Amino acid sequence: MLVVAPDSVPVPAAEGRSSRPSAAGRLRGWLVPLLYLAPALVFLGLWTYRPLLQTFQLSFYHWNLLPTSPMTPVGTENYTRVLSMPELGQAVRNTLVYIVGLLPFTVVLPTIAGLLTRRVRGRAKTVYQALIFLPTLVTPVASAAVWRWLFDPQSGPVNGVLGLLGMAPVNFLRDEHAAIGAIIVVSGWSLLGFATLVISAGLTGISADYPAAASLDGASRWQITRWITLPLLSPTVLFLVLTTTLLSVQITFPLIDLLTEGGPDGATTNVYYLLWQSGFRNFDAGFAGAAGTVFFAGFGLVALLFVWLSDKLSFYDN
């Protein structure tokens, strides 16, 4: 029997319209997450964004940090002084040296260590991770005290080894050419464990199916590492390069202050230590505010560049 389907019946507009939540319903849906985020947002605003705005405001005034002293408007004079100060060029060069010098400790050595020890399993892996992360837990004050003894030109073990090799002792913390290298070594030693754990986490996130399939196709271990593991590890590596670039000046700051105080003759001063000297040694808050604003803008542009490069250079397994 032939059955003819009835003609489609038009649906009224009120019944055919998809139900959408009202503005009040959407607000209620956002309310619970916002309540969870509220404490963090409040403290973020008080401790991060409010000081940033105050620093920017302070950069247009001259003030010596005394509560009884008035703040004198000077316009953009502080920015002109920052960009024309003779010490800025050396501080920027030293900052670049710190970044380049720390990259082997935060990228190259952790990648090698992560690849060599990825087959460690069980309790041995836990012990290995604890030992390699241990320097990260040492405070900068304690670290500086130990390394000051190690670098001592008279009785330090480092110069003792140099003496056994027939070399003259070096005053690492007072030599114009060796001091910045000493700061890099101490900072890199403290960062090595953290960077290795980040690399290990990145290696764990790589599916084992890719090396297994390549091995079945006859690829060697080096070929698997070169063409599969390292490309898939690129987001982790770029993350470490970004953090090293942005945080190197903060990481080296306490060691510079404790070991060399920026010397000798500014050889170890980076941009943050120069900023700190201007604000809290010279009591020039407006100049320090202008310097902080300039450095914040510069590092912000560097961060945007790395985000763009990460999108272009990273490989993902999906």
Side-chain angles (χ1 to χ4, degrees):
M1 181 176 62
L2 178 63
V3 179
V4 179
D7 295 337
S8 58
V9 180
V11 181
E15 297 179 5
R17 187 185 302 121
S18 60
S19 59
R20 297 178 59 185
S22 62
R26 292 196 299 270
L27 182 60
R28 284 194 298 269
W30 295 341
L31 184 60
V32 174
L34 286 176
L35 288 176
Y36 282 109
L37 292 174
L41 293 176
V42 169
F43 288 120
L44 185 65
L46 289 176
W47 293 343
T48 301
Y49 297 115
R50 182 170 174 263
L52 282 175
L53 292 176
Q54 289 179 329
T55 300
F56 180 70
Q57 179 185 9
L58 191 61
S59 66
F60 297 100
Y61 292 87
H62 176 72
W63 185 42
N64 60 3
L65 294 178
L66 293 177
T68 57
S69 176
M71 297 172 59
T72 306
V74 294
T76 60
E77 178 184 336
N78 289 323
Y79 290 95
T80 304
R81 291 171 55 201
V82 167
L83 297 177
S84 61
M85 66 183 304
E87 299 89 351
L88 180 62
Q90 184 181 18
V92 171
R93 287 193 298 270
N94 291 340
T95 302
L96 295 176
V97 172
Y98 283 124
I99 294 172
V100 175
L102 286 175
L103 286 176
F105 293 95
T106 58
V107 177
V108 180
L109 292 178
T111 302
I112 295 174
L115 291 173
L116 292 177
T117 57
R118 63 185 307 188
R119 297 181 180 275
V120 180
R121 295 290 185 269
R123 185 172 298 178
K125 183 175 183 179
T126 304
V127 174
Y128 150 74
Q129 290 177 340
L131 290 176
I132 201 169
F133 192 74
L134 188 61
T136 307
L137 303 178
V138 180
T139 62
V141 176
S143 176
V146 173
W147 282 96
R148 185 186 295 275
W149 168 72
L150 291 173
F151 287 137
D152 188 271
Q154 303 299 327
S155 59
V158 175
N159 276 294
V161 173
L162 294 179
L164 293 176
L165 298 175
M167 301 173 63
V170 179
N171 192 347
F172 288 95
L173 301 180
R174 291 294 178 263
D175 185 89
E176 184 177 354
H177 302 289
I180 193 168
I183 298 295
I184 289 173
V185 169
V186 178
S187 304
W189 169 79
S190 64
L191 291 173
L192 184 60
F194 168 76
T196 303
L197 289 185
V198 173
I199 290 292
S200 299
L203 291 172
T204 304
I206 298 175
S207 174
D209 296 338
Y210 301 112
S215 179
L216 290 176
D217 289 338
S220 64
R221 181 176 297 181
W222 163 248
Q223 289 174 328
I224 292 174
T225 301
R226 169 64 181 85
W227 300 108
I228 296 178
T229 304
L230 290 180
L232 292 178
L233 195 62
S234 58
T236 304
V237 172
L238 288 173
F239 167 77
L240 287 175
V241 174
L242 174 61
T243 54
T244 302
T245 302
L246 298 182
L247 301 181
S248 60
V249 285
Q250 300 181 28
I251 293 166
T252 55
F253 173 84
L255 295 173
I256 293 171
D257 189 44
L258 294 167
L259 293 176
T260 65
E261 295 183 349
D265 195 23
T268 59
T269 298
N270 62 19
V271 291
Y272 276 19
Y273 197 76
L274 183 66
L275 169 63
W276 178 81
Q277 284 180 319
S278 301
F280 296 99
R281 283 191 176 177
N282 301 335
F283 299 102
D284 195 344
F287 180 84
T293 303
V294 171
F295 298 154
F296 175 79
F299 282 109
L301 292 176
V302 171
L304 291 176
L305 175 63
F306 270 101
V307 171
W308 179 78
L309 287 176
S310 179
D311 292 337
K312 297 293 183 180
L313 302 178
S314 295
F315 292 88
Y316 299 95
D317 58 0
N318 56 353

